[in-house]
Structure formats: C-alpha cells, structure tokens
Amino acid sequence: MSKSRRAGLSAAACSVAFVAAGVLTGAGAHAETLADAIALAYQTNPTLQGQRATQRALDESVVQAKTGLRPTLNATASATTSHTEGNAANVGVGNSSVDRKGSQGQVQINQPIFTGGRVSSQIDAATADVESGREALRRTEATVLLSVIQSYVDVRRAEAALQISNDNVAVLNRQREEAKARFDVGEITVTNVAQAEARLAAAQASLSLARATLANARAAYAAVVGQNPTNLAPEPSLAPLIPETVDGAFQAAEATNPQILAAELTEQASRARVRQAQAARRPTLSANASYGYSAALVNGRGEQFGQYGSAISTGITASMPLFSGGLVSSQIRAAIERNNADRIAVETARRAVLQSVSQAWNQLLAARANLVSNQEQVRATTVAFEGVRAENQVGLRTTLDVLNAEQELRTAQLALVTGRRDEYVASANVLVAMGKLDAKSIAPDVPTYDPTTSFDAANHAFGWVPWEPVLNFTDRLGGPGQRPAPADVPVVTATPQ
C-alpha cells in the first residue's frame, strides 16, 4: 500500500472533530451515494481483486487439459570435440593422435490421436472447475458488497447517533442553566440543579462514546471501500429486490445461490474425473515423426575424412495397459468415492442455504416489526416530553420528570436509528442468502467484471490447432460412459412464522 493511500485510510481515526463538525453543520457539497461506494469497492477491494486473479489462474486449467489433444514439437542438438593420443602398436605404427569434431540434431513431433477418453474427461472436469470458481467469485462479490452496505449504514447510524447525542448535550445544557436560574430565585432546590448537572455529565460521556463509534465506523468503511466516507446520502430501498413471500426467497435460492451451484459443479467435475480414471484401462493411439542428422570430422595419422548422415522416421504407436498391480482399479474406486462425497455435499449445501434463507427472512420480519415499534415509540415519547416540559413550567412536574422524559426521547431516537440500520442490513442478508446481491442490483451503472472475458482470451491463446474438435469428439465417443447425475432429494423446510 502506498504512503498516500495509507495516510488516507488512517485519517478515519484522527479526524473525529472535523467529522463531528461536518455532521452537525451538514457540510459537503457532494453527497456520496451507496452506488458510489459499491462502484469504488467493486473496482479496488483487494479481496475481490485476489479472487478474480485466482479465477484467471483457474481458467488456464482448461487450456492445460486441452493440450493433451494438441501436437508437441521438440528439437535437440549437440556438438562435441575430442582429442585422443595413444600407442597404436597393434596396427603397426608408433604413437598417434586423433582429433574428432561432431554435431547432431533431431526434431520430433508427436500427435495424440486417441486417449481412451482420458483427455476429454479431463477437459470436462476442468471446465466444471472453472464454472464452480465463477460461483465462488459471485459469492465473494456478495460478501464484499454486504460489507460495503453494512459499513455504509453503520457510518450513517453513527452520524445520526452523534447528532442525537450532541442535541441531547445542548438540551441538557439549557436545562442546567434554567435550573440554576430557578434555584437563584428560590423556585427549586440544589437537588434539582445537581440532577441536571449529573444528566449533563452522563450525556457528555455518551457524546464522547458516539464520536469514537463514528471514528471506528469510518475506519471500517475505509478498509472495505478504499476511501474515507464524505457526506453519505440516504441508502436506496432494497424492498423491490425482495420477494413478497418466503417461498419466493426459497425458490430464488435454489436457482441462483452460488453455494448450491458451486457444489453442483464440483460434483460434475468429480464425475468427469471418474471417467478420467476409468480411461486408464483403455488403449491410446498417437502418431509421431522425426528428422535427425549427424556430422563428424576425423583427423588422425595424417588423414582427414568426414562422416555425415540423416534419417527421417514416421510411425504410429498404440499402447494397451494389461496389468497395473491393482493401481488403476484403486484409483477408480477412490474417484467414485470422491464423487459420492461431492453428491452428498450438494445436499449439504442446499440445506445450509435454505437454513440461511429462513434465518435471514425471520430476522428481516423481526427488524421490520421492530422498526414500526421504534417509530411509534419516538412519536409517543416526543409528545410526552413536550407535555412534561410544559407541565414543568407551571409547577406540575419536577426537574427529574423533565430529565427522565428527555432521556426516554433520546433513547427512543437512538433505537429508531439502530432499527433502520438493522432492517436494511437484514434485507441485504436476505439477498445474499438468495444469491441475488450483486453490483448491478444496487448500482446499475457500475461496469461489472466478466470472468468469461479472461477465459475466452486464455482459451483462444496460441496453441490451438484446427483438428482439435475432431479429436475431442472421437476421444469422447470412445471413452467411458457418463455416470448419472445425482437425483434431487426433497427437503422439507420450516416456513417462517
């Protein structure tokens, strides 16, 4: 992280006084919206960036699998020189020396023709892995967006709480001054003044806590979004994105939740790996060709002569496994059991998702009911406070009655602020459980990341050959049969009441 970015993020913890001033005066010409925060986090959040890089690396697994159907070309070359001295009496001459220089090279090409279904199954498994990775990316995006939403409404709640705390201190200041004035003329006792001062001291402590809470909320916002919040605008309603009934939420989760889809694709990949293991029992066929040359220059016993040669060879190689000591059978059994585990994991994921939907829906219903109660509480306590204060002016209420009414009003206002925040976060959690929380839903103008773009670029990179689809078709046709897909298991879910 650069020094400037680090300084920008750390400013959230040391600008509380300026934040408080901005909240109280309404400073800031430009209102930052939730869509702005999502757009920035969507482009810069390190968790998202890392998951996207992981997905791009996973895209290459399909390319690597397809290389099993593509030709390979290798070239080798070498050059040697030697000097030999010795007694050659056995040939009737004296001491002699021989100098030899040589070079050789070879070019080989090999083209798989049939792999018994091993490569085609490997391609299917890698493709399913890539699609499962895309669902994992969707899940990460939803988690990051939920963090953005939560940090956004946390800052707005903290700002509202700070405003309420500051108003409370201002009101209690006036009440203390009023109590002192009435004490000076003998209308009330020193006890009433002490009560006002005690409430003021407690309110000032609450104000300090509200400032610290806001600073922490701003720091969390900066960590997720990438910059400090400015003047945050009211968040848009999520109600249009949420179905009217819990059954609609269950149906959406079954169809679009990335956890379920990823589990299904993982099972699909392991099914393909069963076929890949079974293909080890089948024959393979490949074509090969090579061209080689060799050259040598020999100088010895006063004579010099050269040796040259070249060779071209072509052939077809067929291979049939006959006995592996039980290795292939063991690998097949292991692959089948891994696929069985993945079949079970699909149902596990489905039940976990449906549980999440049920819990999130119940939490949303509770938050909505709580919000209605909070709104009524604020209305009632506002009327009560105004009445108690008016009655206090004519001597029908004590100073303590006024202070208690004031405290009840501020408590109700804080509860309403928290209730609005909780209802919004609960709505976002329902969308996450359904698999419907994405950038386009809240910020339609945000340019979204398309993982298929990088996949297509990798899939059509250098190395593709025009006869590859034909080989893939024949390899698939002659490979092991497809295992049946897992049957859906009905799940009984409790409808939230």
Side-chain angles (χ1 to χ4, degrees), residues 408-483:
E408 289 178 0
L409 175 59
R410 301 309 174 194
T411 300
Q413 290 174 336
L414 289 173
L416 178 59
V417 169
T418 301
R420 287 172 177 164
R421 177 264 180 199
D422 291 345
E423 191 275 338
Y424 202 83
V425 173
S427 298
N429 275 312
V430 170
L431 292 177
V432 171
M434 292 167 52
K436 292 290 189 178
L437 184 63
D438 51 47
K440 280 296 184 184
S441 300
I442 305 175
D445 297 331
V446 175
T448 56
Y449 178 83
D450 185 3
T452 61
T453 301
S454 60
F455 175 79
D456 291 340
N459 201 32
H460 294 90
F462 176 77
W464 181 85
V465 291
W467 54 87
E468 180 181 319
V470 177
L471 294 179
N472 189 16
F473 175 77
T474 57
D475 195 64
R476 192 179 304 277
L477 191 64
Q482 178 88 359
R483 284 197 92 200

Coordinates of all heavy atoms in Angstrom, one line a residue, residues 408-483:
E408 N -35.8 9.4 27.9 CA -36.6 8.4 27.1 C -36.7 8.8 25.7 O -36.7 7.9 24.8 CB -38.0 8.3 27.8 CG -38.0 7.7 29.1 CD -39.4 7.7 29.7 OE1 -40.3 8.2 29.1 OE2 -39.6 7.2 30.9
L409 N -36.8 10.1 25.4 CA -36.9 10.5 24.0 C -35.6 10.2 23.2 O -35.6 9.7 22.1 CB -37.2 12.0 23.9 CG -37.2 12.6 22.5 CD1 -38.2 11.9 21.6 CD2 -37.5 14.1 22.6
R410 N -34.5 10.5 23.8 CA -33.2 10.3 23.2 C -33.0 8.8 23.0 O -32.4 8.3 21.9 CB -32.0 10.9 24.0 CG -32.1 12.4 24.2 CD -32.4 13.1 22.9 NE -32.6 14.5 23.1 CZ -33.1 15.4 22.2 NH1 -33.4 14.9 21.0 NH2 -33.3 16.6 22.5
T411 N -33.3 8.0 24.0 CA -33.2 6.5 23.9 C -34.1 6.0 22.7 O -33.6 5.1 21.9 CB -33.6 5.8 25.2 OG1 -32.8 6.3 26.2 CG2 -33.5 4.3 25.1
A412 N -35.3 6.5 22.6 CA -36.2 6.1 21.5 C -35.6 6.5 20.2 O -35.7 5.8 19.2 CB -37.6 6.7 21.7
Q413 N -35.0 7.7 20.1 CA -34.4 8.2 18.8 C -33.3 7.3 18.4 O -33.1 6.9 17.2 CB -34.0 9.6 19.0 CG -35.2 10.6 19.1 CD -34.7 12.0 19.3 OE1 -33.7 12.2 19.9 NE2 -35.6 13.0 19.0
L414 N -32.4 6.9 19.4 CA -31.3 6.1 19.1 C -31.8 4.7 18.7 O -31.2 4.1 17.7 CB -30.4 5.9 20.3 CG -29.6 7.2 20.7 CD1 -28.8 7.0 22.0 CD2 -28.5 7.5 19.6
A415 N -32.8 4.2 19.3 CA -33.4 2.9 18.9 C -33.9 2.9 17.5 O -33.8 2.0 16.7 CB -34.5 2.5 19.9
L416 N -34.5 4.0 17.1 CA -35.1 4.1 15.8 C -33.9 4.2 14.7 O -34.0 3.5 13.7 CB -35.9 5.4 15.7 CG -36.5 5.7 14.3 CD1 -37.4 4.6 13.8 CD2 -37.2 7.0 14.3
V417 N -32.9 4.9 15.0 CA -31.7 4.9 14.1 C -31.2 3.5 14.0 O -30.9 3.0 12.8 CB -30.7 5.9 14.7 CG1 -29.4 5.7 13.9 CG2 -31.2 7.3 14.5
T418 N -31.0 2.8 15.1 CA -30.5 1.4 15.0 C -31.4 0.5 14.3 O -31.0 -0.4 13.5 CB -30.2 0.9 16.4 OG1 -29.2 1.8 17.1 CG2 -29.6 -0.5 16.4
G419 N -32.8 0.7 14.5 CA -33.8 -0.2 13.9 C -33.7 0.0 12.4 O -33.9 -1.0 11.6
R420 N -33.5 1.2 11.9 CA -33.4 1.4 10.4 C -32.2 0.7 9.9 O -32.3 0.1 8.8 CB -33.4 2.9 10.1 CG -34.7 3.6 10.3 CD -34.6 5.1 10.2 NE -35.9 5.8 10.3 CZ -36.1 7.1 10.6 NH1 -35.0 7.8 10.7 NH2 -37.3 7.6 10.6
R421 N -31.1 0.8 10.6 CA -29.9 0.2 10.1 C -30.1 -1.3 10.1 O -29.7 -2.0 9.1 CB -28.7 0.6 11.1 CG -27.4 -0.1 10.8 CD -27.2 -1.3 11.6 NE -25.9 -2.0 11.3 CZ -25.6 -3.2 11.7 NH1 -26.6 -4.0 12.3 NH2 -24.5 -3.8 11.4
D422 N -30.7 -1.9 11.2 CA -30.9 -3.3 11.2 C -31.8 -3.9 10.2 O -31.6 -4.9 9.6 CB -31.4 -3.7 12.6 CG -30.4 -3.5 13.7 OD1 -29.2 -3.3 13.4 OD2 -30.8 -3.5 14.9
E423 N -32.8 -3.1 9.8 CA -33.8 -3.5 8.8 C -33.1 -3.5 7.4 O -33.3 -4.5 6.6 CB -35.0 -2.6 8.8 CG -36.1 -3.0 7.9 CD -36.0 -2.7 6.5 OE1 -35.3 -1.7 6.2 OE2 -36.7 -3.3 5.6
Y424 N -32.2 -2.6 7.2 CA -31.5 -2.5 5.9 C -30.5 -3.7 5.8 O -30.4 -4.3 4.7 CB -30.8 -1.2 5.7 CG -30.6 -0.8 4.3 CD1 -31.5 -0.2 3.5 CD2 -29.3 -1.1 3.7 CE1 -31.3 0.1 2.2 CE2 -29.1 -0.8 2.4 CZ -30.1 -0.2 1.6 OH -29.8 0.1 0.3
V425 N -29.8 -3.9 6.8 CA -28.8 -5.0 6.8 C -29.5 -6.3 6.7 O -29.0 -7.2 6.0 CB -27.9 -4.9 8.0 CG1 -27.0 -6.2 8.1 CG2 -27.0 -3.7 8.0
A426 N -30.6 -6.5 7.4 CA -31.4 -7.7 7.3 C -31.9 -8.0 5.8 O -31.9 -9.1 5.3 CB -32.6 -7.7 8.2
S427 N -32.3 -6.9 5.2 CA -32.7 -7.0 3.8 C -31.6 -7.5 2.9 O -31.7 -8.3 2.0 CB -33.3 -5.7 3.3 OG -34.4 -5.3 4.0
A428 N -30.4 -6.9 3.1 CA -29.2 -7.3 2.4 C -28.9 -8.8 2.6 O -28.4 -9.5 1.7 CB -28.0 -6.4 2.7
N429 N -29.0 -9.2 3.9 CA -28.7 -10.6 4.2 C -29.7 -11.5 3.5 O -29.3 -12.7 3.1 CB -28.8 -10.8 5.7 CG -27.5 -10.5 6.4 OD1 -26.4 -10.9 5.9 ND2 -27.5 -9.7 7.4
V430 N -30.9 -11.2 3.3 CA -31.9 -12.0 2.6 C -31.4 -12.1 1.1 O -31.4 -13.2 0.5 CB -33.3 -11.4 2.6 CG1 -34.2 -12.1 1.7 CG2 -33.8 -11.5 4.1
L431 N -31.0 -11.0 0.5 CA -30.5 -11.0 -0.9 C -29.3 -11.9 -1.0 O -29.1 -12.6 -2.0 CB -30.2 -9.6 -1.3 CG -31.4 -8.7 -1.5 CD1 -31.0 -7.3 -1.9 CD2 -32.4 -9.2 -2.5
V432 N -28.4 -11.9 0.0 CA -27.2 -12.7 -0.1 C -27.6 -14.2 0.0 O -27.1 -15.0 -0.8 CB -26.2 -12.4 1.1 CG1 -25.1 -13.4 1.2 CG2 -25.6 -11.0 0.9
A433 N -28.5 -14.5 0.9 CA -28.9 -15.9 1.0 C -29.6 -16.4 -0.3 O -29.5 -17.6 -0.6 CB -29.9 -16.1 2.2
M434 N -30.3 -15.5 -0.9 CA -31.0 -15.8 -2.2 C -30.0 -15.9 -3.4 O -30.3 -16.5 -4.4 CB -32.0 -14.8 -2.5 CG -33.2 -14.8 -1.6 SD -34.2 -13.3 -1.8 CE -34.5 -13.3 -3.6
G435 N -28.8 -15.3 -3.2 CA -27.9 -15.3 -4.3 C -28.2 -14.1 -5.3 O -27.8 -14.2 -6.5
K436 N -28.9 -13.1 -4.8 CA -29.3 -12.0 -5.6 C -28.6 -10.7 -5.4 O -28.9 -9.7 -6.0 CB -30.8 -11.8 -5.4 CG -31.7 -12.9 -5.9 CD -31.7 -13.0 -7.5 CE -32.7 -14.0 -8.0 NZ -32.8 -14.0 -9.5
L437 N -27.7 -10.7 -4.4 CA -27.0 -9.4 -4.1 C -25.8 -9.3 -5.1 O -24.8 -10.0 -5.0 CB -26.5 -9.4 -2.7 CG -25.9 -8.1 -2.2 CD1 -26.8 -6.9 -2.3 CD2 -25.3 -8.2 -0.8
D438 N -25.8 -8.3 -6.0 CA -24.7 -8.1 -6.9 C -24.7 -6.6 -7.2 O -25.6 -5.8 -6.8 CB -24.9 -8.8 -8.2 CG -26.2 -8.7 -8.8 OD1 -26.7 -7.5 -9.0 OD2 -26.8 -9.7 -9.2
A439 N -23.6 -6.1 -7.8 CA -23.4 -4.7 -8.0 C -24.5 -4.1 -8.9 O -25.0 -3.0 -8.7 CB -22.1 -4.4 -8.6
K440 N -25.0 -4.8 -9.9 CA -26.0 -4.3 -10.8 C -27.3 -4.1 -10.2 O -28.1 -3.2 -10.6 CB -26.1 -5.3 -12.0 CG -25.1 -5.2 -13.1 CD -25.1 -3.9 -13.8 CE -24.1 -3.8 -14.9 NZ -24.1 -2.5 -15.5
S441 N -27.6 -4.8 -9.1 CA -28.9 -4.6 -8.4 C -29.0 -3.3 -7.7 O -30.1 -2.7 -7.7 CB -29.1 -5.8 -7.4 OG -29.1 -7.0 -8.0
I442 N -27.9 -2.8 -7.2 CA -27.9 -1.5 -6.4 C -27.3 -0.4 -7.2 O -27.7 0.7 -7.1 CB -27.2 -1.7 -5.1 CG1 -27.8 -2.9 -4.3 CG2 -27.2 -0.5 -4.2 CD1 -27.1 -3.3 -3.1
A443 N -26.3 -0.7 -8.0 CA -25.6 0.3 -8.8 C -25.6 -0.1 -10.3 O -24.6 -0.7 -10.7 CB -24.2 0.5 -8.3
P444 N -26.7 0.1 -11.0 CA -26.8 -0.4 -12.4 C -25.7 0.2 -13.3 O -25.4 -0.5 -14.3 CB -28.2 0.0 -12.8 CG -28.9 0.3 -11.5 CD -27.9 0.8 -10.5
D445 N -25.2 1.3 -13.0 CA -24.2 2.0 -13.9 C -22.8 1.5 -13.7 O -21.9 2.0 -14.4 CB -24.3 3.5 -13.8 CG -25.7 4.0 -14.2 OD1 -26.3 3.4 -15.0 OD2 -26.1 5.1 -13.6
V446 N -22.5 0.7 -12.7 CA -21.2 0.2 -12.4 C -20.7 -0.8 -13.5 O -21.4 -1.8 -13.7 CB -21.1 -0.4 -11.0 CG1 -19.7 -1.0 -10.8 CG2 -21.5 0.6 -9.9
P447 N -19.6 -0.6 -14.1 CA -19.0 -1.6 -15.1 C -18.7 -2.8 -14.3 O -17.9 -2.8 -13.4 CB -17.8 -0.9 -15.6 CG -17.9 0.6 -15.3 CD -18.7 0.6 -14.0
T448 N -19.3 -3.9 -14.7 CA -19.1 -5.2 -13.9 C -18.0 -6.0 -14.6 O -17.6 -5.9 -15.7 CB -20.4 -6.0 -13.9 OG1 -20.8 -6.2 -15.3 CG2 -21.5 -5.3 -13.2
Y449 N -17.4 -6.8 -13.7 CA -16.3 -7.7 -14.1 C -16.9 -9.0 -14.7 O -17.7 -9.7 -14.1 CB -15.4 -8.1 -12.9 CG -14.3 -9.0 -13.3 CD1 -13.1 -8.5 -13.8 CD2 -14.4 -10.4 -13.0 CE1 -12.1 -9.4 -14.1 CE2 -13.4 -11.2 -13.3 CZ -12.2 -10.8 -13.8 OH -11.2 -11.6 -14.1
D450 N -16.5 -9.3 -16.0 CA -17.0 -10.5 -16.6 C -15.9 -11.5 -16.7 O -14.9 -11.4 -17.4 CB -17.4 -10.1 -18.1 CG -18.1 -11.3 -18.8 OD1 -18.2 -12.4 -18.1 OD2 -18.4 -11.2 -20.0
P451 N -16.0 -12.6 -15.9 CA -14.9 -13.6 -15.9 C -14.8 -14.4 -17.2 O -13.7 -15.0 -17.5 CB -15.3 -14.6 -14.8 CG -16.8 -14.4 -14.6 CD -17.1 -13.0 -15.0
T452 N -15.8 -14.4 -18.1 CA -15.7 -15.1 -19.3 C -14.7 -14.4 -20.3 O -14.2 -15.1 -21.2 CB -17.1 -15.2 -20.0 OG1 -17.6 -13.9 -20.3 CG2 -18.1 -15.9 -19.1
T453 N -14.5 -13.1 -20.1 CA -13.6 -12.4 -21.0 C -12.2 -13.0 -20.9 O -11.5 -13.3 -21.9 CB -13.6 -10.9 -20.7 OG1 -14.9 -10.4 -20.8 CG2 -12.7 -10.2 -21.6
S454 N -11.7 -13.1 -19.7 CA -10.3 -13.7 -19.5 C -10.3 -15.2 -19.9 O -9.3 -15.6 -20.4 CB -9.9 -13.5 -18.0 OG -10.8 -14.2 -17.2
F455 N -11.4 -15.9 -19.7 CA -11.4 -17.3 -20.0 C -11.3 -17.4 -21.6 O -10.6 -18.3 -22.1 CB -12.7 -17.9 -19.5 CG -12.9 -19.4 -20.0 CD1 -12.2 -20.4 -19.4 CD2 -13.7 -19.6 -21.0 CE1 -12.4 -21.7 -19.8 CE2 -13.9 -21.0 -21.5 CZ -13.2 -22.0 -20.8
D456 N -12.1 -16.6 -22.3 CA -12.0 -16.7 -23.7 C -10.7 -16.3 -24.3 O -10.2 -16.9 -25.2 CB -13.1 -15.8 -24.3 CG -14.5 -16.2 -24.1 OD1 -14.7 -17.4 -23.8 OD2 -15.5 -15.4 -24.1
A457 N -10.0 -15.3 -23.6 CA -8.7 -14.9 -24.1 C -7.7 -16.1 -23.9 O -6.9 -16.4 -24.7 CB -8.2 -13.7 -23.3
A458 N -7.8 -16.8 -22.7 CA -6.9 -17.9 -22.5 C -7.2 -19.1 -23.4 O -6.3 -19.8 -23.9 CB -7.0 -18.3 -21.0
N459 N -8.5 -19.3 -23.6 CA -8.9 -20.5 -24.4 C -8.5 -20.4 -25.8 O -8.4 -21.4 -26.5 CB -10.4 -20.7 -24.2 CG -10.9 -22.1 -24.5 OD1 -10.2 -23.0 -24.3 ND2 -12.1 -22.2 -25.1
H460 N -8.4 -19.2 -26.3 CA -8.0 -19.0 -27.8 C -6.6 -18.4 -27.9 O -6.3 -17.8 -28.9 CB -9.0 -18.0 -28.4 CG -10.4 -18.5 -28.5 ND1 -11.3 -18.4 -27.5 CD2 -11.0 -19.3 -29.4 CE1 -12.5 -19.0 -27.8 NE2 -12.3 -19.5 -29.0
A461 N -5.8 -18.6 -26.9 CA -4.4 -18.2 -27.0 C -3.6 -19.2 -27.9 O -4.2 -20.2 -28.4 CB -3.8 -18.2 -25.6
F462 N -2.4 -18.8 -28.2 CA -1.5 -19.6 -29.1 C -1.5 -21.1 -28.6 O -1.3 -21.4 -27.5 CB -0.1 -19.0 -29.1 CG 0.8 -19.8 -30.0 CD1 0.8 -19.7 -31.4 CD2 1.8 -20.6 -29.4 CE1 1.7 -20.4 -32.1 CE2 2.6 -21.4 -30.1 CZ 2.6 -21.3 -31.5
G463 N -1.6 -22.0 -29.6 CA -1.5 -23.4 -29.3 C -2.7 -24.2 -29.9 O -2.6 -25.4 -30.0
W464 N -3.8 -23.5 -30.2 CA -4.9 -24.2 -30.7 C -4.6 -24.7 -32.1 O -4.0 -24.1 -32.9 CB -6.1 -23.3 -30.7 CG -7.4 -23.9 -31.2 CD1 -8.3 -24.7 -30.5 CD2 -7.9 -23.9 -32.6 NE1 -9.3 -25.1 -31.3 CE2 -9.1 -24.6 -32.6 CE3 -7.4 -23.3 -33.7 CZ2 -9.9 -24.8 -33.7 CZ3 -8.2 -23.4 -34.9 CH2 -9.4 -24.2 -34.9
V465 N -5.2 -25.9 -32.4 CA -5.0 -26.5 -33.8 C -6.4 -26.8 -34.3 O -7.3 -27.1 -33.6 CB -4.1 -27.8 -33.7 CG1 -2.7 -27.4 -33.4 CG2 -4.7 -28.8 -32.7
P466 N -6.6 -26.7 -35.6 CA -7.9 -26.8 -36.2 C -8.5 -28.2 -36.1 O -9.8 -28.4 -36.1 CB -7.7 -26.5 -37.7 CG -6.3 -26.6 -37.9 CD -5.6 -26.3 -36.6
W467 N -7.7 -29.3 -35.9 CA -8.3 -30.6 -35.8 C -8.6 -31.0 -34.4 O -9.0 -32.1 -34.1 CB -7.4 -31.6 -36.5 CG -6.0 -31.6 -35.9 CD1 -5.5 -32.3 -34.8 CD2 -4.9 -30.9 -36.4 NE1 -4.2 -32.0 -34.6 CE2 -3.7 -31.2 -35.6 CE3 -4.7 -30.0 -37.5 CZ2 -2.5 -30.6 -35.8 CZ3 -3.4 -29.5 -37.8 CH2 -2.4 -29.8 -36.9
E468 N -8.4 -30.1 -33.5 CA -8.7 -30.4 -32.1 C -10.1 -30.8 -31.8 O -10.4 -31.7 -31.0 CB -8.3 -29.2 -31.2 CG -8.5 -29.3 -29.7 CD -8.1 -28.1 -29.0 OE1 -7.0 -27.5 -29.3 OE2 -8.8 -27.7 -28.0
P469 N -11.1 -30.1 -32.3 CA -12.5 -30.5 -32.1 C -12.8 -31.9 -32.5 O -13.6 -32.6 -31.9 CB -13.4 -29.5 -32.8 CG -12.5 -28.3 -32.9 CD -11.1 -28.8 -33.1
V470 N -12.3 -32.3 -33.7 CA -12.5 -33.7 -34.2 C -11.9 -34.7 -33.2 O -12.6 -35.7 -32.9 CB -11.9 -33.8 -35.6 CG1 -12.1 -35.3 -36.1 CG2 -12.5 -32.9 -36.5
L471 N -10.7 -34.5 -32.7 CA -10.1 -35.4 -31.8 C -10.8 -35.4 -30.5 O -11.0 -36.5 -29.9 CB -8.6 -35.0 -31.5 CG -7.7 -35.1 -32.7 CD1 -6.3 -34.6 -32.3 CD2 -7.6 -36.5 -33.3
N472 N -11.3 -34.3 -30.1 CA -12.1 -34.3 -28.8 C -13.4 -35.1 -29.0 O -13.8 -35.8 -28.0 CB -12.4 -32.8 -28.5 CG -13.1 -32.7 -27.1 OD1 -13.0 -33.6 -26.3 ND2 -13.7 -31.5 -26.8
F473 N -14.0 -35.0 -30.1 CA -15.3 -35.7 -30.4 C -15.0 -37.3 -30.4 O -15.7 -38.0 -29.7 CB -15.9 -35.3 -31.7 CG -17.1 -36.1 -32.1 CD1 -18.3 -35.9 -31.5 CD2 -17.0 -37.1 -33.0 CE1 -19.4 -36.6 -31.8 CE2 -18.1 -37.8 -33.4 CZ -19.3 -37.6 -32.8
T474 N -14.0 -37.7 -31.1 CA -13.7 -39.1 -31.2 C -13.2 -39.6 -29.8 O -13.5 -40.8 -29.4 CB -12.6 -39.4 -32.2 OG1 -11.4 -38.6 -31.9 CG2 -13.1 -39.0 -33.6
D475 N -12.4 -38.8 -29.1 CA -12.0 -39.3 -27.8 C -13.1 -39.4 -26.8 O -13.2 -40.4 -26.0 CB -11.0 -38.3 -27.2 CG -10.2 -38.8 -26.1 OD1 -9.4 -39.8 -26.3 OD2 -10.3 -38.3 -24.9
R476 N -14.1 -38.5 -26.9 CA -15.2 -38.6 -26.0 C -16.1 -39.8 -26.4 O -16.7 -40.4 -25.5 CB -16.0 -37.3 -26.1 CG -17.1 -37.1 -25.1 CD -17.8 -35.7 -25.3 NE -16.8 -34.6 -25.3 CZ -16.4 -34.1 -24.2 NH1 -16.8 -34.5 -23.0 NH2 -15.5 -33.1 -24.3
L477 N -16.2 -40.0 -27.7 CA -17.1 -41.1 -28.2 C -16.6 -42.4 -27.8 O -17.3 -43.4 -27.5 CB -17.2 -41.0 -29.7 CG -18.2 -41.9 -30.4 CD1 -19.6 -41.5 -30.0 CD2 -18.1 -41.8 -31.9
G478 N -15.2 -42.6 -27.8 CA -14.7 -43.9 -27.4 C -14.3 -44.0 -25.9 O -13.7 -45.0 -25.5
G479 N -14.6 -43.0 -25.1 CA -14.3 -43.0 -23.7 C -15.3 -43.7 -22.9 O -16.3 -44.2 -23.4
P480 N -15.1 -43.8 -21.6 CA -16.0 -44.4 -20.6 C -17.4 -43.7 -20.7 O -17.5 -42.5 -21.0 CB -15.3 -44.3 -19.3 CG -13.9 -44.0 -19.6 CD -13.9 -43.3 -20.9
G481 N -18.4 -44.4 -20.3 CA -19.7 -43.9 -20.2 C -19.9 -42.8 -19.1 O -19.2 -42.8 -18.1
Q482 N -20.9 -42.0 -19.3 CA -21.2 -40.9 -18.3 C -21.9 -41.5 -17.1 O -22.8 -42.3 -17.2 CB -22.0 -39.8 -18.9 CG -22.4 -38.7 -18.0 CD -21.4 -37.6 -18.0 OE1 -20.4 -37.7 -18.7 NE2 -21.6 -36.6 -17.3
R483 N -21.4 -41.1 -15.9 CA -22.1 -41.5 -14.7 C -23.4 -40.7 -14.6 O -23.4 -39.5 -15.0 CB -21.2 -41.2 -13.4 CG -20.1 -42.2 -13.2 CD -19.6 -42.1 -11.8 NE -20.3 -43.0 -10.9 CZ -20.4 -42.8 -9.6 NH1 -19.9 -41.8 -9.0 NH2 -21.0 -43.7 -8.8

